[in-house]
Amino acid sequence: MKSVLITGANRSIGLEVAKQLSEKGLFVYLGSRNLEKGEAVVAELLKQGLEHIKAIEIDVTHPESISAAKDRIEREQGKLDILINNAGILGDSPQMAVDTPVPHIQEVFDTNFFGVISVTQAFLDLLKRSDRPRISNITSGLGSLTLHSDPSWKYYQVKTAAYGTSKAALNAYTIVLAYELKDLPFKVNVIDPGYTATDFNQHSGPGTVESAASFIIKHTLTDDDAPSGQFYSHDIEDETGISPW
């Protein structure tokens, strides 16, 4: 049975990804900063008939929390097949480049960028024990520099000095990571679930969590000949789903 760790999975898109992967027969570690909240969610999922799913405490901004989660999965599984770096924060609004306090920007980067790096590096050894390791870093269309430079893009005016820039940095890191792991059976990609109605945006997005989760899973459970180092976006309206960087 393949195992997957999803950070920030006690609600919204992360939770739906956990549900759908459990239904597909994977052993799911539902990552939550607050263990009690995670366990409450898992208890409800088990009542719904889902199996092979456990809550695990992991705060991506605290090294000791990451280390404890890694040690637990190593004890229980011996390896990790899939890592989905889903945990993220929006930060305070508005986010103007000219006056957003640096500590506010740093707080967003701590979760969305440095947190992903910390978790990925901690779990890399367990992922290397898998026959087909996968790393999916959940990004946003707001991390595309090409689209942000195009006045015709429908979200051109949505500029964020913390959130969007943290996702652009995450995209850049993923390119480097995919390159460094290219000679191993890893597939490392960034995936934008699209503008989805969640608590994250006061349910303003047009997409559903079910569709967003399915898109993430489609580009995570990939074949051996699938690309690595790609940027997939649910908002790209063609069959490839490939977004410009």
Side-chain angles (χ1 to χ4, degrees):
M1 181 179 293
K2 289 187 178 295
S3 57
V4 53
L5 168 63
I6 310 165
T7 63
N10 60 295
R11 63 176 184 167
S12 299
I13 296 174
L15 174 56
E16 183 62 28
V17 172
K19 289 180 183 178
Q20 292 188 22
L21 287 177
S22 175
E23 291 170 348
K24 290 179 178 292
L26 280 75
F27 193 103
V28 177
Y29 284 96
L30 186 150
S32 177
R33 285 187 301 172
N34 183 296
L35 184 58
E36 289 185 2
K37 290 183 178 179
E39 289 179 335
V41 169
V42 168
E44 187 61 33
L45 296 178
L46 295 176
K47 288 180 183 178
Q48 297 173 17
L50 296 180
E51 298 179 316
H52 310 301
I53 184 166
K54 289 185 179 180
I56 188 166
E57 183 175 4
I58 181 166
D59 184 331
V60 303
T61 66
H62 286 78
E64 61 276 10
S65 176
I66 297 170
S67 180
K70 182 257 185 182
D71 290 345
R72 176 182 166 186
I73 292 177
E74 184 171 25
R75 287 195 308 270
E76 296 181 358
Q77 301 289 334
K79 65 179 176 67
L80 182 66
D81 295 290
I82 301 167
L83 172 61
I84 300 179
N85 285 305
N86 172 73
I89 62 173
L90 180 60
D92 296 334
S93 294
Q95 293 179 8
M96 306 296 292
V98 294
D99 60 9
T100 299
V102 170
H104 291 190
I105 297 176
Q106 288 176 326
E107 181 182 15
V108 175
F109 268 73
D110 282 343
T111 296
N112 296 0
F113 181 60
F114 295 113
V116 172
I117 297 173
S118 297
V119 172
T120 300
Q121 291 181 347
F123 280 90
L124 204 54
D125 285 343
L126 295 188
L127 288 161
K128 287 180 178 178
R129 298 175 193 175
S130 172
D131 294 333
R132 301 170 72 186
R134 301 290 186 264
I135 300 174
S136 292
N137 295 331
I138 307 307
T139 188
S140 167
L142 297 179
S144 170
L145 302 182
T146 299
L147 293 177
H148 264 304
S149 301
D150 180 3
S152 68
W153 184 43
K154 59 183 175 181
Y155 301 124
Y156 176 71
Q157 295 185 29
V158 185
K159 307 294 188 196
T160 51
Y163 180 75
T165 56
S166 73
K167 293 301 187 179
L170 174 61
N171 292 354
Y173 171 76
T174 304
I175 291 174
V176 177
L177 180 65
Y179 175 80
E180 292 181 3
L181 297 174
K182 64 183 174 60
D183 295 326
L184 298 174
F186 278 83
K187 302 297 179 186
V188 183
N189 295 295
V190 283
I191 306 173
D192 165 30
Y195 190 16
T196 305
T198 66
D199 294 342
F200 201 75
N201 54 37
Q202 291 77 51
H203 295 268
S204 61
T208 67
V209 292
E210 292 82 6
S211 178
S214 294
F215 186 82
I216 290 171
I217 291 169
K218 173 185 176 181
H219 292 291
T220 297
L221 301 182
T222 52
D223 295 331
D224 293 340
D225 60 352
S228 186
Q230 288 286 356
F231 180 2
Y232 296 103
S233 174
H234 206 13
D235 282 335
I236 297 298
E237 297 175 356
D238 65 37
E239 67 278 3
T240 69
I242 295 176
S243 173
W245 296 98

